[in-house]
Amino acid sequence: MKKIIALLMFVCLLCGCTQAVKPEPTTAPTVPTTVPQTEPVISEYIEEPVALEAVNKHPFYKTSESPTGAVLDQRAVAFLTNEYLNKDFSKKYTHIRLVDPYTGEMRTEVYLDGTYSLLPHSVQRGALALVNGDSDEILVLDKNLQTLISFDARSHEGVLTPALDSYYYVWGSKLYRQDVATGESSLCQAGQELLMDEIWGYDPEENLLLVSMFADTYTTDLCMVALNLENGSMELLYRDVSAGRLAAGGVFLEKKHEDLLSSDLYFGHWQDAELRILPDFLPNNKDFASWHIAGSDYLCKFSYDPGGVDILDFQLFRLGESLEVCSLQSIFKGAKINSTYALPDGSILAVAVSSRGYQTWLICPDQLEFVPAELNPDQGNGLVDA
């Protein structure tokens, strides 16, 4: 009998019938947990001084998705991508890399179970506020990507205060405040008489909300107002604007032309009697792109090749009493800039994407040479009073 069994085993080996043991599939953690992947996880990070040039190019991170990012501190920027894992296409996970903007090195990374994105208008320095696209959850991580708080919210279009105790949102054209600890929501006394549309920004220093509101019940025309949450006072900034941003007292408003071919950019301090204008600065054209770099006095403007892929020119504008510009055409030619971020020390982190993934570029404006800009010969330096 033993000979028969041995003979059968020998035949199976000759025929290749031995079945390999299939490894158990791995899954992403449901809570922020460090998960080593192809890149090493840096468990202990030392912020050593770095010698910087005017523009510093960093290595690529492989991904098929374009990242979104948030600045946590001077040496930590978080980048999010939503990805499939282990060839399981039934659901996506959120991959977060914490990157040193000075060197491009990854400090740590986590995977979250679910499709998360950034909470709009987040102003928590040192924390990362996320919204779960699969539920009502808002999740806040610290700068080590560990959980600070998690709570459910009626709307994902609100703002969270830096103290992480209050969440403001618009619902049914009214402004509400949610107590993060209890989860209870109450109608705000400030702005009760307004028909609110959307929250566009929050200034934690002055406790102000930048809110768009309907001019009246019978129109879709919008006005942009600065609403003081302390005393309920309101400052009308401008009418017929389509988007805005408020940070450290500075306001940036976008007003589209009726032909929708371009937009004017309004900027200044929200308490200024008049804002200044950059006419036609924001073109609505796939061959051009421009935006204000949040948290800074800089604007960027790109022109692309006819295919809308490679950058032909990249200009960095500096706002002040006059408008100044620096061209970085030779440096960024061939790149596809996806986003830009202002760091606390005044430097700017630009993110370029391609089929290889994404890479970061650190720009040091204090090392660049700016010259007066002329956007329109009829308007001198391009700035006019609103």
Side-chain angles (χ1 to χ4, degrees):
M1 187 66 168
K2 293 182 179 179
K3 291 183 178 180
I4 296 176
I5 294 175
L7 181 61
L8 289 173
M9 291 178 65
F10 180 72
V11 172
C12 287
L13 287 172
L14 289 177
C15 298
C17 298
T18 303
Q19 185 174 1
V21 179
K22 185 177 181 180
E24 292 294 325
T26 57
T27 57
T30 57
V31 295
T33 304
T34 300
V35 180
Q37 293 295 308
T38 53
E39 290 111 351
V41 172
I42 303 172
S43 58
E44 184 175 342
Y45 190 82
I46 301 174
E47 296 183 356
E48 296 181 352
V50 178
L52 298 175
E53 299 180 356
V55 179
N56 307 268
K57 183 179 178 180
H58 299 146
F60 269 93
Y61 285 99
K62 294 182 179 179
T63 178
S64 59
E65 304 291 332
S66 295
T68 56
V71 178
L72 302 190
D73 64 30
Q74 183 61 46
R75 300 294 292 269
V77 179
F79 289 110
L80 284 70
T81 52
N82 299 125
E83 304 172 2
Y84 298 107
L85 290 182
N86 306 317
K87 298 183 180 180
D88 177 8
F89 300 107
S90 60
K91 66 178 299 185
K92 280 188 173 183
Y93 298 90
T94 302
H95 186 187
I96 307 177
R97 289 183 174 101
L98 196 63
V99 175
D100 182 346
Y102 274 27
T103 64
E105 290 181 329
M106 185 178 66
R107 297 174 56 167
T108 188
E109 63 178 352
V110 299
Y111 281 86
L112 301 184
D113 188 354
T115 306
Y116 286 84
S117 58
L118 295 176
L119 178 69
H121 317 302
S122 177
V123 294
Q124 292 72 37
R125 191 63 86 183
L128 181 65
L130 308 172
V131 296
N132 190 335
D134 305 318
S135 69
D136 297 329
E137 178 196 18
I138 292 180
L139 175 66
V140 182
L141 309 179
D142 64 17
K143 63 180 182 179
N144 295 314
L145 303 185
Q146 300 300 310
T147 301
L148 284 174
I149 58 171
S150 175
F151 63 97
D152 289 343
R154 183 188 290 179
S155 167
H156 282 174
E157 300 296 326
V159 295
L160 188 62
T161 57
L164 306 181
D165 57 354
S166 300
Y167 180 69
Y168 292 93
Y169 63 93
V170 173
W171 192 264
S173 299
K174 297 298 179 184
L175 180 66
Y176 288 84
R177 173 192 174 274
Q178 178 176 335
D179 186 297
V180 172
T182 66
E184 296 181 356
S185 293
S186 57
L187 186 65
C188 290
Q189 296 300 313
Q192 273 198 18
E193 71 282 2
L194 305 179
L195 290 174
M196 299 205 180
D197 170 58
E198 187 174 344
I199 296 175
W200 287 95
Y202 175 65
D203 185 347
E205 295 183 5
E206 311 224 14
N207 202 19
L208 291 172
L209 284 180
L210 181 65
V211 184
S212 56
M213 56 167 283
F214 296 102
D216 58 59
T217 310
Y218 307 102
T219 181
T220 57
D221 295 337
L222 294 175
C223 305
M224 199 69 74
V225 300
L227 184 64
N228 190 309
L229 296 175
E230 292 287 343
N231 55 30
S233 62
M234 179 185 72
E235 184 81 19
L236 177 63
L237 299 180
Y238 217 81
R239 299 179 182 273
D240 302 327
V241 294
S242 52
R245 181 179 287 116
L246 182 66
V251 63
F252 294 82
L253 306 176
E254 179 182 344
K255 181 178 180 180
K256 288 183 177 167
H257 293 183
E258 292 184 1
D259 57 14
L260 301 180
L261 295 179
S262 63
S263 300
D264 298 334
L265 180 68
Y266 294 69
F267 70 96
H269 192 278
W270 71 272
Q271 289 180 324
D272 292 345
E274 292 183 335
L275 299 178
R276 309 189 76 187
I277 306 176
L278 285 173
D280 299 317
F281 185 80
L282 305 172
N284 185 15
N285 187 312
K286 67 179 180 63
D287 295 336
F288 296 90
S290 55
W291 58 75
H292 165 241
I293 301 174
S296 76
D297 293 325
Y298 293 93
L299 308 165
C300 56
K301 192 170 188 177
F302 312 94
S303 62
Y304 295 101
D305 62 18
V309 177
D310 293 333
I311 287 181
L312 299 179
D313 193 12
F314 173 24
Q315 295 175 305
L316 186 65
F317 292 86
R318 183 165 58 194
L319 296 171
E321 291 300 320
S322 62
L323 188 69
E324 298 178 310
V325 64
C326 176
S327 177
L328 300 174
Q329 174 183 3
S330 59
I331 297 174
F332 285 96
K333 188 173 183 180
K336 176 73 172 180
I337 301 298
N338 168 266
S339 52
T340 50
Y341 306 92
L343 299 177
D345 68 350
S347 55
I348 297 168
L349 191 68
V351 181
V353 297
S354 72
S355 59
R356 296 172 56 192
Y358 68 88
Q359 67 181 144
T360 55
W361 303 63
L362 184 68
I363 304 171
C364 300
D366 58 350
Q367 297 189 40
L368 299 175
E369 183 177 349
F370 287 81
V371 298
E374 292 189 7
L375 299 181
N376 188 323
D378 298 329
Q379 293 166 344
N381 64 7
L383 302 177
V384 298
D385 291 331

